Amino acid sequence: MKTAHLIATLCLAGVLAACSNYSAVQKSTDPYFKYEAAKEFYVRGHYSRAADLLNQVLPALRGTEVGEEALFMHGLATLHARDYEAAATILKKYIDDFPRGRYNEQAYYNCAMAYYKNVPEVKLDQTSTYDAIRTFSAFLENYPRSPLANDAREKMFELQDQLIEKEWLSAKLYYDLGSYFLNCSSGGSNYQACITTAENALRDYPYMKRREDFLFLILQAKFDLADQSVLSRREERLADAIEEYKNFIDEFPTSSRRQLADQLYNKHTRHVQISTDSDN
């Protein structure tokens, strides 16, 4: 026992000494020595070095008693080194390879965090946002009582707000383009595209904070679409816009936009009345 303890102590001392010389560790052909050195680099906060060493030894450690831990630590080190895309890939591999692994709970959460950290500004592609929401959701489904569950829910709501903002910008852009036809294919309409985009967002996120904003934008777009329509479609679309107005004031009777909504309604219903009188 004393001999084994002495050997372990000497090995640890060798690792600690080697950590002062990263190039010496890299030259070693002993995967277990590199693995121990990687753990020491990780503890010291040298995450890039730890991730690099773990990447080198993972093939040799696969299937061994430390293979699972090495893969998980590789994901964490890569995450802390701020290589978020790679970290998500590694941690997802851990989840797939060890569905009942010792670190599965932490792997789910940190995989979601890797996607979360990689979320771009709202105007750009939101693939990482969807990946983060999906992984946080899987984490909550598997570990609903986790101490990290509340944080995961808060981040999911935050990410959903970002997707809503993305939809808002898209719908608003279509509305602002208005009667500009060159971007419309197959005789489409920017106003119709605005309505469809906004209605889809309301369906996907029924409890959003921006609900009033989207509904008023739909109201405006429907009245403008009716104005833009050929005579054979105008009456039908105007009736739809009027119905949208009634629904809006029913849901938001004290809205700060109530006066604008009333003005739109009065303008278009007065137009209908004048047309009817002239026909008689």
Side-chain angles (χ1 to χ4, degrees):
M1 288 293 293
K2 288 183 178 180
T3 302
H5 178 73
L6 177 60
I7 292 173
T9 302
L10 291 173
C11 288
L12 179 58
V15 169
L16 294 175
C19 282
S20 64
N21 188 344
Y22 179 59
S23 61
V25 179
Q26 286 185 306
K27 292 175 183 177
S28 173
T29 58
D30 183 347
Y32 288 94
F33 176 76
K34 282 188 172 181
Y35 172 62
E36 293 299 328
K39 290 200 290 185
E40 183 63 25
F41 278 121
Y42 183 91
V43 169
R44 294 186 179 189
H46 301 306
Y47 301 117
S48 294
R49 291 183 173 185
D52 181 55
L53 290 174
L54 289 164
N55 187 54
Q56 293 176 34
V57 301
L58 277 175
L61 298 180
R62 186 175 293 116
T64 69
E65 71 279 5
V66 297
E68 178 186 347
E69 183 179 72
L71 180 57
F72 175 65
M73 188 178 296
H74 186 213
L76 282 189
T78 306
L79 174 62
H80 291 311
R82 301 182 182 180
D83 188 351
Y84 301 125
E85 187 173 349
T89 300
I90 296 165
L91 290 165
K92 186 177 184 305
K93 177 173 173 54
Y94 175 88
I95 293 166
D96 293 340
D97 289 357
F98 301 98
R100 298 182 183 276
R102 286 176 291 166
Y103 310 104
N104 205 268
E105 179 179 341
Q106 299 97 313
Y108 262 114
Y109 177 81
N110 284 287
C111 183
M113 283 300 298
Y115 288 126
Y116 175 83
K117 295 282 190 179
N118 204 37
V119 167
E121 63 176 288
V122 69
K123 293 181 180 180
L124 301 178
D125 178 75
Q126 296 298 303
T127 298
S128 289
T129 310
Y130 287 108
D131 288 338
I133 290 173
R134 184 177 64 252
T135 311
F136 275 129
S137 179
F139 167 76
L140 289 168
E141 183 178 345
N142 285 281
Y143 303 99
R145 298 181 183 276
S146 170
L148 297 168
N150 286 337
D151 183 70
R153 290 189 191 94
E154 289 177 3
K155 285 184 168 57
M156 280 184 65
F157 294 145
E158 177 188 339
L159 293 168
Q160 286 177 352
D161 285 343
Q162 172 139 331
L163 293 179
I164 291 167
E165 191 64 22
K166 175 79 169 177
E167 293 303 304
W168 168 257
L169 292 176
S170 296
K172 190 66 167 60
L173 176 61
Y174 280 126
Y175 182 80
D176 291 341
L177 287 170
S179 58
Y180 179 73
F181 284 102
L182 294 182
N183 68 309
C184 299
S185 59
S186 304
S189 162
N190 288 312
Y191 291 128
Q192 186 59 62
C194 168
I195 294 164
T196 301
T197 302
E199 288 179 338
N200 287 341
L202 288 168
R203 184 193 65 238
D204 293 341
Y205 308 101
Y207 304 109
M208 68 164 76
K209 297 175 184 177
R210 269 191 174 274
R211 181 172 176 82
E212 181 181 342
D213 296 337
F214 276 94
L215 286 175
F216 187 74
L217 188 65
I218 292 170
L219 170 62
Q220 289 178 299
K222 285 190 173 183
F223 275 121
D224 288 331
L225 179 63
D227 285 342
Q228 187 189 74
S229 300
V230 296
L231 191 60
S232 60
R233 300 294 305 277
R234 190 172 301 158
E235 183 177 350
E236 173 192 350
R237 287 175 171 171
L238 182 55
D240 185 34
I242 292 171
E243 186 64 27
E244 192 70 40
Y245 161 80
K246 293 177 181 178
N247 291 336
F248 179 81
I249 62 172
D250 281 346
E251 186 167 349
F252 299 101
T254 60
S255 169
S256 61
R257 299 181 176 94
R258 174 64 187 267
Q259 185 176 357
L260 292 174
D262 289 343
Q263 289 173 356
L264 283 170
Y265 174 77
N266 292 332
K267 171 188 173 183
H268 287 85
T269 53
R270 184 167 60 248
H271 173 73
V272 171
Q273 186 63 47
I274 291 171
S275 298
T276 304
D277 292 344
S278 63
D279 289 341
N280 293 334

